[in-house]
Amino acid sequence: MSLVAFGLLGLDVAGSPWGVGALAVGNALLGMALGLLVSAFAASEFQAVQFMPAFVLPQLLLCGLFVPRAQMAGALDVVAGAMPLTYAYDSLHRLAADGTLGARGRLDVVVLGGAIALALGLGAATLRRRTA
C-alpha cells in the first residue's frame, strides 16, 4: 500500500515515507495480533466475525481519527488511552504531519510493540491444546 500511495498516487508527508511504511506494517501487525487474540475466544468462525465490530469499532471511534482526543469528554479520553489503536494512530499521525516522532512518538511505538507482543502472547496462551 505504501508503494501505491507514495509511488503511484504521489502522497506527500512531512516525515520519511519509509518511516510511514514501517509504522503501517506495525499497525498491520497490531491488527493481526488483536484479531488472533479475539478469535482465540470464539467457539466458531462466525462468532469470531461477530466479535470484531465490538472490539474494533470503539477503538476506531476513540483513537482520534474522526474527532481529536482533545475535544473528547475526559472519560472518553481516559478510555482511549487504554486502547492500542490510539497509540498506533498517534504515532502515524505525528510522523506524517510533523515529520518526526519525538519523545511522545517513541513512547507510542514502544506501546505499539508491547501491545503486539502481549496480544500474541495472550492469544497463544488461550489456544486450546489438542493431541492426536
Side-chain angles (χ1 to χ4, degrees):
M1 285 310 269
S2 294
L3 289 175
V4 171
F6 290 112
L8 296 176
L9 301 177
L11 179 67
D12 187 35
V13 294
S16 164
W18 291 105
V20 171
L23 284 174
V25 169
N27 293 343
L29 287 172
L30 175 65
M32 182 263 325
L34 292 176
L36 288 173
L37 173 64
V38 172
S39 70
F41 294 104
S44 67
E45 292 85 2
F46 181 70
Q47 193 175 33
V49 171
Q50 288 179 320
F51 281 160
M52 295 322 303
F55 189 72
V56 172
L57 188 62
Q59 292 193 65
L60 188 63
L61 294 175
L62 295 177
C63 74
L65 182 63
F66 300 115
V67 176
R69 288 180 56 207
Q71 295 178 3
M72 290 183 190
L76 292 177
D77 190 35
V78 169
V79 171
M83 297 183 173
L85 189 59
T86 300
Y87 297 94
Y89 170 75
D90 282 349
S91 63
L92 192 57
H93 176 64
R94 190 171 289 108
L95 185 61
D98 299 338
T100 182
L101 285 174
R104 173 67 186 177
R106 284 191 282 281
L107 173 66
D108 291 339
V109 171
V110 168
V111 170
L112 178 66
I116 292 168
L118 182 65
L120 286 175
L122 289 174
T126 59
L127 289 176
R128 293 175 202 91
R129 307 282 191 258
R130 294 185 191 173
T131 57

